[in-house]
Amino acid sequence: LVVGAAVAALPARAAGQAIGWSRSDGELAGWTAALYEARERAMAGLGAEAAAAGALGVVGVRFEERPVVSVMVRAVELLVLGTAVVRVERRGAPLRPEPRVPLDDPPPEVFQRGRRR
């Protein structure tokens, strides 16, 4: 598991601007720029962790963002999670994975009133 995280401060805005923005569909350019900056820093952190682990790549990348709003602070947090892919040398016989999909129905006790438990 590799992680990258960043927090970016958002520009302050006047109450009148906030009311005007809530009535229109215009882009909040300052917020967009802060989010892009946080994303780039979080991705850089994720890449640094993957490189330190000797990873060939990262799969299953997930982005999570949330605003941080208080009386004195207005910011956005961005968290990036992924699975680092690392080559592992094995001794002995090579692995031969076989996909298996069960074709049997589950036992009747798994179902109750037509719904699966």
Side-chain angles (χ1 to χ4, degrees):
L1 177 68
V2 287
V3 178
V7 177
L10 299 171
R13 63 178 191 230
Q17 290 175 321
I19 292 169
W21 282 334
S22 67
R23 292 182 188 159
S24 69
D25 291 333
E27 178 183 6
L28 302 175
W31 287 57
T32 301
L35 186 57
Y36 282 178
E37 176 190 337
R39 183 184 64 192
E40 292 301 319
R41 287 188 304 168
M43 288 296 294
L46 178 90
E49 276 199 21
L56 301 172
V58 180
V59 297
V61 176
R62 186 175 81 193
F63 290 84
E64 293 183 15
E65 67 179 68
R66 74 179 189 104
V68 179
V69 180
S70 70
V71 175
M72 300 299 290
V73 177
R74 186 173 272 127
V76 63
E77 291 179 342
L78 188 69
L79 180 67
V80 184
L81 305 163
T83 302
V85 178
V86 180
R87 180 179 294 261
V88 177
E89 299 296 329
R90 288 190 55 95
R91 296 183 183 149
L95 296 175
R96 299 192 192 282
E98 296 179 22
R100 294 183 184 222
V101 178
L103 299 176
D104 302 352
D105 286 337
E109 58 270 8
V110 171
F111 296 95
Q112 181 181 22
R113 293 187 198 172
R115 300 180 84 182
R116 203 176 174 139
R117 279 193 222 173

